Amino acid sequence: MRLPVLLCVLVCLSAAPGPVTGADRSCTDLRQFYTGKGFTLSGVPQTEISGEHLRVCPQGPTCCTSSMEDNLAGLSAQETEGLIREAGRSLQSAFNALHRSFDTYFTELHGRSERSLQEALSPLGPLYSQNTRLYGDLYTDLRQYYRGSALNLDETLSEFWSRLLERTFKTSSPTDVNLSDDYLECVAKQQETLRPFGDVPRDMKAKVIRAFVTARSFVQGLIVSGEVVRKVSQVSMSPECTKALMKLVYCPHCRGVASVKPCSNYCSNVMKGCLANQADLDPEWQTLIDTMIQVASSFSTEPSLDVVLSSIPARIYEAVHFLQENMDTFTAKVYQTCGTPGEPGTGSPTLHEQRKKSGSLTASEYKPSPTAGLRLEMQVSDLSSKLREMRQYWTQLPVALCSKLAAGGAGQDKCWNGITKARYLPEVMGDGLANQINNPEVELDITKPDMTIRQQIMQLKIMSNRLKNALDGNDVDFQDASDDISGSGSGMCIGGQCSRNRPGLYAYSPDNNRVRGAATSQTQTIFFIWFCSVLICCSLGVIR
């Protein structure tokens, strides 16, 4: 009798409810959550099931099936990618706003300078009225250069002064002297040697080139920065990252602790791992931002951007006035070099009257309005302050994402640590791919960086180099393209041309690679023959 009684007691005890089973816990909350994410309830359990099938989440009683785990893993990656793109679009919008602001300012400055031509040059009489296209073409070329046209600004300005010299000399010559095109071409060639316009062309060229090179490079920097953000923000999550994000975001739901937020340090490790390649942009990104701030500051350095552009008409007048005052001396030197075009006659009465009236305006008398200087100061200040806010974008991106996902500072003892509701103990990894070698949350091969992001790092380097050259007044668009990547060892091709030297790109020369490849192939062949021999011997019973 004792044995049946004991069996009955054991059966009753095993049937009694207890805290260890949890098999009857309802999955109603998870079902509502799951359908709210756009999935169907097909295959979703009504009550908890055993979790031996889970591949990402900790195993144990769960409301998630394998297909649910896969669906939520994909969703976690999509949502994180969406957050990254959203942050990227916000930064792109900021760059676009800076571009519009500066472009509007610079375009208006250029337009005001062009509109002041008539007022500044009208005292020149026919020399202005008969050559309006020459002056207009100068402003058109400057505008096109700023917009990115492949013009050599140095040659463009030299050509302008040569053509202006031709027109001025022709207007100043006696009316009964016929000047052939060849003769005027000879006159134009004296621009550099005789310096008929004094120091104005050389001084104005240096200042205008610096102003336009820096302005164009600055807007290119804003455009390139926005493009880098756009392309990097579209990089997809890796499979390893998808698993880590699932464990971070949705495993608490599968484990029945949906209300518990991830620990902040845990979230940081996941995001630093998932955004390790993006964080590698940081050094070159900060260099580019700092260089753009330097360029923006240079706009207000004497002579400031507004002074250089606005004084162009006055400088042209000053140059022509200088030539007119010294025309006799210049003409004598031209006759010595180019020959005498004909018998000298009487000078043009109109020109004589112009000489008496000249001197009404010179560049030294030019004073920009106080409001123009104030607007430039405000423009530079706004550009610089907003650029500084963008300096640490790539290293702050994990922080920004975790601020939306993780628990606050007060809840670090009762947060989701990837396994249960408790404190997260591992240390937080550093930024960048190299620092993720011991990341406990995301498996990464630090020897295989993302090539899309590496290409964008090179674009940042190239743009920084252009801006640094622009600060010195050098237009890198007319330098050897290999200068942009000298010493980088990237092997990138710029502007359709590839660098001839690629230091550090290959461990062996191409010829050595072929020899090495042939040796490897030969070794494989020998191994294959040996292996076949062993198999044959085994089949014959030679090797036992």
Side-chain angles (χ1 to χ4, degrees):
M1 287 295 291
R2 290 181 179 178
L3 182 60
V5 172
L6 180 61
L7 289 174
C8 289
V9 172
L10 290 174
V11 169
C12 291
L13 288 173
S14 63
V20 292
T21 61
D24 295 327
R25 186 178 296 171
S26 172
C27 291
T28 301
D29 290 343
L30 182 62
R31 289 167 64 86
Q32 291 178 351
F33 165 78
Y34 194 66
T35 55
K37 291 294 183 179
F39 300 109
T40 65
L41 288 176
S42 176
V44 179
Q46 296 283 351
T47 57
E48 281 187 341
I49 56 178
S50 62
E52 290 85 355
H53 58 278
L54 297 176
R55 295 189 299 274
V56 178
C57 298
Q59 294 185 347
T62 182
C63 287
C64 290
T65 63
S66 294
S67 62
M68 292 173 65
E69 190 180 38
D70 291 339
N71 290 339
L72 290 173
L75 179 64
S76 66
Q78 291 174 14
E79 290 178 338
T80 304
E81 289 169 354
L83 291 173
I84 294 170
R85 285 194 296 269
E86 181 184 347
R89 283 192 293 268
S90 177
L91 188 58
Q92 281 181 265
S93 297
F95 276 115
N96 291 339
L98 289 178
H99 182 208
R100 284 193 303 271
S101 175
F102 179 78
D103 184 65
T104 299
Y105 169 76
F106 189 84
T107 303
E108 289 177 358
L109 197 61
H110 183 278
R112 282 200 303 272
S113 178
E114 186 174 13
R115 287 191 296 272
S116 68
L117 266 174
Q118 183 175 1
E119 179 184 354
L121 301 185
S122 58
L124 298 177
L127 190 55
Y128 168 71
S129 60
Q130 294 175 11
N131 297 293
T132 53
R133 184 172 179 178
L134 174 66
Y135 304 115
D137 285 347
L138 171 63
Y139 276 89
T140 299
D141 288 341
L142 292 175
R143 185 183 299 107
Q144 289 179 347
Y145 174 84
Y146 166 72
R147 294 293 184 204
S149 178
L151 289 171
N152 187 317
L153 206 50
D154 188 285
E155 292 179 2
T156 298
L157 290 168
S158 295
E159 180 70 11
F160 167 76
W161 288 112
S162 296
R163 298 285 78 83
L164 182 59
L165 178 57
E166 285 183 16
R167 309 294 173 84
T168 308
F169 186 83
K170 186 176 183 179
T171 303
S172 304
S173 296
T175 55
D176 57 347
V177 173
N178 182 30
L179 300 174
S180 66
D181 290 341
D182 289 341
Y183 192 86
L184 289 174
E185 192 68 28
C186 179
V187 173
K189 290 179 180 178
Q190 310 312 308
Q191 159 62 24
E192 289 296 329
T193 56
L194 299 181
R195 296 171 62 189
F197 295 116
D199 293 328
V200 172
R202 187 174 300 177
D203 180 64
M204 177 178 152
K205 180 188 288 187
K207 292 174 180 175
V208 167
I209 286 178
R210 182 180 295 274
F212 275 83
V213 167
T214 51
R216 179 164 91 156
S217 298
F218 184 75
V219 295
Q220 285 176 343
L222 294 174
I223 293 170
V224 167
S225 299
E227 275 297 293
V228 168
V229 172
R230 182 183 67 82
K231 291 177 180 178
V232 173
S233 298
Q234 292 177 348
V235 173
S236 300
M237 296 288 105
S238 67
E240 294 76 16
C241 185
T242 298
K243 292 178 182 178
L245 289 169
M246 168 63 192
K247 190 175 178 183
L248 174 78
V249 179
Y250 289 129
C251 281
H253 292 268
C254 290
R255 294 289 290 145
V257 287
S259 61
V260 181
K261 285 192 171 185
C263 303
S264 60
N265 286 352
Y266 171 40
C267 181
S268 293
N269 275 342
V270 172
M271 292 304 175
K272 283 176 181 283
C274 290
L275 299 172
N277 282 282
Q278 287 85 337
D280 281 345
L281 286 158
D282 182 66
E284 290 302 328
W285 178 263
Q286 291 203 32
T287 298
L288 177 58
I289 295 295
D290 290 341
T291 310
M292 282 200 287
I293 291 172
Q294 279 185 275
V295 172
S297 299
S298 74
F299 295 147
S300 57
T301 303
E302 293 297 331
S304 61
L305 188 66
D306 58 338
V307 170
V308 172
L309 264 70
S310 300
S311 64
I312 289 175
R315 300 310 307 274
I316 294 173
Y317 179 87
E318 181 185 1
V320 174
H321 175 57
F322 179 88
L323 174 58
Q324 290 176 339
E325 289 294 309
N326 298 278
M327 183 60 75
D328 293 340
T329 303
F330 174 71
T331 301
K333 292 180 179 179
V334 168
Y335 286 174
Q336 290 176 2
T337 305
C338 302
T340 305
E343 290 298 322
T346 57
S348 168
T350 306
L351 176 61
H352 181 69
E353 290 300 315
Q354 286 172 211
R355 288 182 181 178
K356 290 199 301 183
K357 292 190 296 182
S358 64
S360 59
L361 178 65
T362 65
S364 60
E365 295 170 352
Y366 175 80
K367 294 288 188 297
S369 66
T371 55
L374 181 60
R375 186 178 177 191
L376 175 60
E377 185 178 336
M378 292 175 61
Q379 184 77 26
V380 170
S381 176
D382 185 58
L383 290 169
S384 300
S385 63
K386 288 180 178 173
L387 285 169
R388 286 191 186 94
E389 294 173 1
M390 305 170 179
R391 279 187 87 247
Q392 297 181 314
Y393 174 78
W394 298 109
T395 54
Q396 290 298 313
L397 186 56
V399 178
L401 294 176
C402 285
S403 68
K404 299 181 179 181
L405 298 173
Q412 296 308 303
D413 288 325
K414 298 180 180 180
C415 51
W416 173 252
N417 64 8
I419 300 174
T420 187
K421 180 181 177 181
R423 175 175 285 273
Y424 181 75
L425 298 178
E427 64 176 343
V428 177
M429 299 293 103
D431 297 312
L433 189 60
N435 287 317
Q436 307 310 310
I437 189 169
N438 294 317
N439 193 317
E441 308 306 334
V442 186
E443 294 181 10
L444 288 171
D445 185 348
I446 65 171
T447 65
K448 295 180 180 179
D450 184 277
M451 294 313 298
T452 298
I453 293 177
R454 296 293 138 173
Q455 290 170 358
Q456 297 313 305
I457 291 174
M458 182 54 58
Q459 291 302 312
L460 295 175
K461 288 183 178 180
I462 292 169
M463 194 64 243
S464 294
N465 187 47
R466 288 180 174 176
L467 285 162
K468 289 173 184 176
N469 276 277
L471 285 168
D472 297 326
N474 297 325
D475 186 352
V476 296
D477 287 346
F478 295 98
Q479 296 177 3
D480 189 337
S482 63
D483 291 346
D484 282 335
I485 53 175
S486 59
S488 66
S490 68
M492 290 281 290
C493 296
I494 309 300
Q497 297 181 347
C498 295
S499 174
R500 290 182 290 275
N501 299 316
R502 302 183 184 185
L505 188 60
Y506 299 111
Y508 301 88
S509 68
D511 290 337
N512 284 343
N513 271 333
R514 285 195 290 271
V515 172
R516 188 167 176 255
T520 303
S521 177
Q522 186 177 9
T523 302
Q524 291 172 346
T525 302
I526 293 170
F527 178 81
F528 179 76
I529 293 172
W530 175 83
F531 185 72
C532 289
S533 300
V534 172
L535 289 178
I536 293 170
C537 290
C538 288
S539 63
L540 294 175
V542 175
I543 298 178
R544 301 182 185 277

